[in-house]
Amino acid sequence: MSTTYFALSYVLLAFAAVATWVYSRLRPLRIAPFGQLLRHMMISRVNRIAVFAIWWWVGWHFFGQPFPN
Amino acid sequence: MRKNSRNSTLWIITFFIGTIFQFWRGSQIDTLVFAVITSLLLVASQEILELPNLRATNLATSLGILFVCTLVFTFVGIHSVLSAIFYLALISVVLMNMWRSDSISEVESTPALRRSSMIWFTIGVVTCLAELGNYFAADATHNDKVYPTITVLIDPLVAHNGGKIIFVLLWAIIGVGLFRVSVKK
């Protein structure tokens, strides 16, 4: 039961992300859609490197790292 | 302070905290990975190093080969030295391509973009705090079932081939999507 309770924080965050994504698609003048925000962010070199580093690290962490701990 | 330098500082601080966290939890390889990324961000923000642009055809070929090899070796030998080599080669080529100068020095932001940025930033920060909170609570109580980190929740899903295929495909699709929005128009 406790596991469900604490894991729920991630479910709520996922719900917030999906709700934001849907709302921004319906009201793009109020909240810019995620794709538009990403295109805007990727103009900057530092943002590009940071975003790709995060993406890559997820794959590395779950599959690539040779000696996981 | 210019918006770009504020963004750079935020990213550098974020990855620096990540480096300290990885060091604290005793993961030497991840400490090194985060330290390298932090250093790269520091160098990138200072604009003191420029790399030659790869030709589009060479880039597409090398990235395509590396991407397929990385995916193949993820299935053949998960957490093997060989798969690690392909992951490292892949990120090296990607970062070399992403190193180009900012295409426009200062782009006008709209209120909608600022709101979107603030919401996604908040979701990201709260996710990190939830992850950290659960990690420290699990460490203190020796119970990661009650306080699961994201890794603890995802590991059982990717332990079997079905979950692994779905997760790797999602990861690959997101990577291709990011690459598409990042290429210079």
Side-chain angles (χ1 to χ4, degrees):
Chain A
M1 183 63 81
S2 303
T3 305
T4 315
Y5 178 75
F6 284 96
L8 194 66
S9 59
Y10 300 122
V11 177
L12 288 174
L13 283 161
F15 178 78
V18 172
T20 305
W21 187 82
V22 171
Y23 185 81
S24 64
R25 302 287 293 184
L26 296 172
R27 299 274 186 276
L29 294 177
R30 184 107 187 101
I31 296 172
F34 189 68
Q36 195 183 332
L37 175 69
L38 212 51
R39 269 189 293 278
H40 181 76
M41 276 180 69
M42 293 305 212
I43 290 168
S44 152
R45 167 160 53 190
V46 172
N47 286 347
R48 281 196 301 273
I49 291 170
V51 169
F52 271 99
I54 292 168
W55 164 77
W56 173 82
W57 188 79
V58 172
W60 168 262
H61 179 68
F62 286 105
F63 304 115
Q65 190 176 336
F67 310 106
N69 59 340
Chain B
M1 189 184 274
R2 282 176 59 212
K3 190 188 164 202
N4 275 353
S5 59
R6 198 173 61 223
N7 279 352
S8 305
T9 309
L10 272 176
W11 281 123
I12 291 165
I13 290 171
T14 304
F15 277 92
F16 183 67
I17 292 171
T19 308
I20 293 170
F21 174 68
Q22 297 297 347
F23 179 76
W24 180 81
R25 80 181 188 97
S27 174
Q28 293 169 340
I29 292 178
D30 278 336
T31 303
L32 185 65
V33 166
F34 272 77
V36 168
I37 296 170
T38 308
S39 310
L40 282 173
L41 290 170
L42 204 58
V43 173
S45 68
Q46 298 304 310
E47 299 181 4
I48 49 177
L49 176 68
E50 294 300 331
L51 297 175
N53 284 338
L54 294 174
R55 287 179 59 178
T57 46
N58 295 344
L59 174 75
T61 312
S62 31
L63 262 181
I65 292 169
L66 276 173
F67 206 57
V68 170
C69 289
T70 304
L71 295 182
V72 166
F73 280 97
T74 293
F75 286 100
V76 173
I78 187 170
H79 293 307
S80 66
V81 173
L82 208 51
S83 74
I85 289 170
F86 278 105
Y87 272 89
L88 290 170
L90 179 69
I91 192 61
S92 304
V93 176
V94 168
L95 289 187
M96 274 178 72
N97 185 253
M98 292 303 142
W99 197 268
R100 66 176 190 271
S101 299
D102 298 354
S103 33
I104 306 164
S105 57
E106 198 72 48
V107 177
E108 202 57 44
S109 183
T110 63
L113 272 170
R114 282 195 292 274
R115 275 192 287 269
S116 182
S117 172
M118 187 49 69
I119 292 169
W120 286 110
F121 175 77
T122 306
I123 291 173
V125 169
V126 175
T127 304
C128 290
L129 290 176
E131 170 82 353
L132 271 178
N134 276 329
Y135 182 84
F136 286 120
D139 193 52
T141 60
H142 304 289
N143 193 342
D144 63 4
K145 295 275 184 287
V146 176
Y147 305 102
T149 58
I150 294 172
T151 302
V152 168
L153 292 174
I154 290 181
D155 270 345
L157 302 177
V158 297
H160 57 86
N161 280 336
K164 201 189 331 182
I165 288 169
I166 292 169
F167 192 89
V168 170
L169 279 179
L170 270 176
W171 179 79
I173 289 166
I174 291 169
V176 172
L178 285 175
F179 203 82
R180 284 183 63 187
V181 298
S182 308
V183 290
K184 206 172 180 176
K185 295 283 191 308

Short mmCIF file of all heavy atoms in Angstrom, two decimals, chain B residues 152-179:
data_model
loop_
_atom_site.label_atom_id
_atom_site.label_comp_id
_atom_site.label_asym_id
_atom_site.label_seq_id
_atom_site.Cartn_x
_atom_site.Cartn_y
_atom_site.Cartn_z
N VAL B 152 14.07 2.11 -9.92
CA VAL B 152 13.50 0.93 -9.26
C VAL B 152 12.17 0.54 -9.91
O VAL B 152 11.86 -0.64 -10.06
CB VAL B 152 13.32 1.21 -7.74
CG1 VAL B 152 12.48 0.14 -7.07
CG2 VAL B 152 14.67 1.31 -7.06
N LEU B 153 11.41 1.55 -10.35
CA LEU B 153 10.12 1.26 -10.99
C LEU B 153 10.29 0.73 -12.41
O LEU B 153 9.53 -0.12 -12.87
CB LEU B 153 9.25 2.53 -11.01
CG LEU B 153 8.76 3.05 -9.66
CD1 LEU B 153 8.06 4.38 -9.84
CD2 LEU B 153 7.82 2.05 -9.00
N ILE B 154 11.31 1.25 -13.12
CA ILE B 154 11.46 0.88 -14.54
C ILE B 154 12.25 -0.41 -14.72
O ILE B 154 11.96 -1.19 -15.64
CB ILE B 154 12.11 2.05 -15.33
CG1 ILE B 154 11.10 3.20 -15.43
CG2 ILE B 154 12.54 1.61 -16.73
CD1 ILE B 154 11.59 4.40 -16.19
N ASP B 155 13.23 -0.68 -13.84
CA ASP B 155 14.07 -1.87 -14.00
C ASP B 155 13.29 -3.17 -14.22
O ASP B 155 13.64 -3.93 -15.13
CB ASP B 155 15.03 -2.01 -12.80
CG ASP B 155 16.35 -1.28 -13.06
OD1 ASP B 155 16.63 -0.94 -14.23
OD2 ASP B 155 17.10 -1.04 -12.09
N PRO B 156 12.23 -3.44 -13.43
CA PRO B 156 11.49 -4.69 -13.69
C PRO B 156 10.83 -4.71 -15.08
O PRO B 156 10.68 -5.77 -15.68
CB PRO B 156 10.41 -4.70 -12.59
CG PRO B 156 10.87 -3.73 -11.58
CD PRO B 156 11.71 -2.72 -12.28
N LEU B 157 10.45 -3.52 -15.58
CA LEU B 157 9.80 -3.47 -16.90
C LEU B 157 10.78 -3.80 -18.01
O LEU B 157 10.41 -4.39 -19.03
CB LEU B 157 9.20 -2.07 -17.15
CG LEU B 157 8.17 -1.55 -16.14
CD1 LEU B 157 7.74 -0.13 -16.48
CD2 LEU B 157 6.95 -2.46 -16.11
N VAL B 158 12.04 -3.38 -17.85
CA VAL B 158 13.02 -3.62 -18.92
C VAL B 158 13.81 -4.91 -18.69
O VAL B 158 14.75 -5.20 -19.44
CB VAL B 158 13.99 -2.41 -19.08
CG1 VAL B 158 13.24 -1.17 -19.50
CG2 VAL B 158 14.78 -2.16 -17.81
N ALA B 159 13.44 -5.65 -17.65
CA ALA B 159 14.15 -6.90 -17.37
C ALA B 159 13.79 -7.99 -18.38
O ALA B 159 14.55 -8.93 -18.60
CB ALA B 159 13.84 -7.37 -15.96
N HIS B 160 12.61 -7.89 -18.99
CA HIS B 160 12.24 -8.89 -20.01
C HIS B 160 12.20 -8.24 -21.38
O HIS B 160 12.12 -7.00 -21.50
CB HIS B 160 10.90 -9.57 -19.66
CG HIS B 160 9.77 -8.62 -19.50
ND1 HIS B 160 9.02 -8.17 -20.57
CD2 HIS B 160 9.27 -8.00 -18.41
CE1 HIS B 160 8.11 -7.33 -20.14
NE2 HIS B 160 8.25 -7.20 -18.83
N ASN B 161 12.29 -9.07 -22.43
CA ASN B 161 12.48 -8.56 -23.78
C ASN B 161 11.38 -7.63 -24.27
O ASN B 161 11.65 -6.65 -24.94
CB ASN B 161 12.65 -9.73 -24.77
CG ASN B 161 14.07 -10.26 -24.72
OD1 ASN B 161 14.99 -9.55 -24.34
ND2 ASN B 161 14.23 -11.52 -25.08
N GLY B 162 10.12 -7.95 -23.91
CA GLY B 162 9.00 -7.11 -24.36
C GLY B 162 9.14 -5.67 -23.88
O GLY B 162 9.07 -4.71 -24.65
N GLY B 163 9.39 -5.54 -22.57
CA GLY B 163 9.55 -4.21 -21.99
C GLY B 163 10.78 -3.50 -22.53
O GLY B 163 10.76 -2.29 -22.77
N LYS B 164 11.85 -4.30 -22.73
CA LYS B 164 13.09 -3.73 -23.25
C LYS B 164 12.88 -3.16 -24.65
O LYS B 164 13.33 -2.05 -24.97
CB LYS B 164 14.18 -4.80 -23.26
CG LYS B 164 15.55 -4.16 -23.28
CD LYS B 164 16.75 -5.05 -23.49
CE LYS B 164 16.77 -6.45 -23.07
NZ LYS B 164 18.06 -7.11 -23.34
N ILE B 165 12.17 -3.92 -25.50
CA ILE B 165 11.92 -3.47 -26.88
C ILE B 165 11.13 -2.15 -26.85
O ILE B 165 11.49 -1.19 -27.54
CB ILE B 165 11.15 -4.55 -27.68
CG1 ILE B 165 12.08 -5.72 -27.98
CG2 ILE B 165 10.59 -3.97 -28.98
CD1 ILE B 165 11.38 -6.94 -28.52
N ILE B 166 10.07 -2.11 -26.05
CA ILE B 166 9.23 -0.89 -25.99
C ILE B 166 10.06 0.30 -25.50
O ILE B 166 10.05 1.39 -26.07
CB ILE B 166 8.01 -1.13 -25.07
CG1 ILE B 166 7.06 -2.14 -25.71
CG2 ILE B 166 7.26 0.18 -24.80
CD1 ILE B 166 5.96 -2.64 -24.80
N PHE B 167 10.83 0.08 -24.42
CA PHE B 167 11.61 1.18 -23.83
C PHE B 167 12.68 1.68 -24.80
O PHE B 167 12.84 2.90 -24.99
CB PHE B 167 12.25 0.70 -22.52
CG PHE B 167 12.82 1.82 -21.70
CD1 PHE B 167 12.03 2.49 -20.77
CD2 PHE B 167 14.13 2.22 -21.86
CE1 PHE B 167 12.56 3.53 -20.01
CE2 PHE B 167 14.66 3.27 -21.11
CZ PHE B 167 13.87 3.92 -20.19
N VAL B 168 13.40 0.75 -25.43
CA VAL B 168 14.47 1.15 -26.35
C VAL B 168 13.89 1.86 -27.57
O VAL B 168 14.45 2.86 -28.04
CB VAL B 168 15.32 -0.08 -26.77
CG1 VAL B 168 16.27 0.28 -27.90
CG2 VAL B 168 16.12 -0.57 -25.59
N LEU B 169 12.76 1.36 -28.07
CA LEU B 169 12.13 2.01 -29.22
C LEU B 169 11.68 3.43 -28.87
O LEU B 169 11.90 4.36 -29.65
CB LEU B 169 10.95 1.19 -29.73
CG LEU B 169 11.32 0.02 -30.64
CD1 LEU B 169 10.07 -0.74 -31.07
CD2 LEU B 169 12.11 0.47 -31.86
N LEU B 170 11.08 3.58 -27.69
CA LEU B 170 10.67 4.92 -27.25
C LEU B 170 11.88 5.85 -27.16
O LEU B 170 11.84 6.99 -27.61
CB LEU B 170 10.00 4.83 -25.87
CG LEU B 170 8.49 4.62 -25.86
CD1 LEU B 170 8.02 4.45 -24.42
CD2 LEU B 170 7.77 5.80 -26.51
N TRP B 171 12.95 5.32 -26.57
CA TRP B 171 14.19 6.10 -26.41
C TRP B 171 14.73 6.51 -27.78
O TRP B 171 15.13 7.67 -27.99
CB TRP B 171 15.21 5.25 -25.64
CG TRP B 171 16.53 5.90 -25.41
CD1 TRP B 171 16.82 6.84 -24.47
CD2 TRP B 171 17.73 5.67 -26.14
NE1 TRP B 171 18.14 7.20 -24.57
CE2 TRP B 171 18.72 6.51 -25.58
CE3 TRP B 171 18.08 4.84 -27.21
CZ2 TRP B 171 20.03 6.53 -26.06
CZ3 TRP B 171 19.38 4.87 -27.69
CH2 TRP B 171 20.34 5.70 -27.12
N ALA B 172 14.71 5.56 -28.71
CA ALA B 172 15.22 5.83 -30.06
C ALA B 172 14.35 6.87 -30.78
O ALA B 172 14.87 7.81 -31.41
CB ALA B 172 15.27 4.53 -30.87
N ILE B 173 13.03 6.72 -30.67
CA ILE B 173 12.11 7.66 -31.34
C ILE B 173 12.30 9.07 -30.78
O ILE B 173 12.34 10.05 -31.53
CB ILE B 173 10.64 7.18 -31.18
CG1 ILE B 173 10.42 5.93 -32.02
CG2 ILE B 173 9.66 8.27 -31.60
CD1 ILE B 173 9.13 5.18 -31.70
N ILE B 174 12.43 9.18 -29.46
CA ILE B 174 12.65 10.49 -28.85
C ILE B 174 13.97 11.09 -29.35
O ILE B 174 14.05 12.28 -29.69
CB ILE B 174 12.64 10.39 -27.30
CG1 ILE B 174 11.23 10.06 -26.81
CG2 ILE B 174 13.14 11.68 -26.65
CD1 ILE B 174 11.13 9.66 -25.36
N GLY B 175 15.00 10.26 -29.45
CA GLY B 175 16.31 10.74 -29.95
C GLY B 175 16.22 11.27 -31.37
O GLY B 175 16.73 12.36 -31.67
N VAL B 176 15.54 10.52 -32.23
CA VAL B 176 15.38 10.95 -33.62
C VAL B 176 14.57 12.25 -33.67
O VAL B 176 14.90 13.18 -34.41
CB VAL B 176 14.71 9.84 -34.47
CG1 VAL B 176 14.36 10.35 -35.86
CG2 VAL B 176 15.64 8.63 -34.58
N GLY B 177 13.51 12.32 -32.85
CA GLY B 177 12.69 13.53 -32.78
C GLY B 177 13.50 14.74 -32.34
O GLY B 177 13.41 15.82 -32.94
N LEU B 178 14.32 14.56 -31.32
CA LEU B 178 15.17 15.66 -30.84
C LEU B 178 16.13 16.10 -31.93
O LEU B 178 16.38 17.29 -32.13
CB LEU B 178 15.97 15.21 -29.60
CG LEU B 178 15.22 15.10 -28.29
CD1 LEU B 178 16.14 14.53 -27.21
CD2 LEU B 178 14.69 16.45 -27.85
N PHE B 179 16.68 15.10 -32.63
CA PHE B 179 17.62 15.42 -33.70
C PHE B 179 16.95 16.23 -34.80
O PHE B 179 17.51 17.17 -35.34
CB PHE B 179 18.23 14.14 -34.26
CG PHE B 179 19.55 14.37 -34.92
CD1 PHE B 179 20.71 14.46 -34.16
CD2 PHE B 179 19.63 14.54 -36.29
CE1 PHE B 179 21.92 14.71 -34.76
CE2 PHE B 179 20.85 14.79 -36.90
CZ PHE B 179 22.00 14.87 -36.12
#
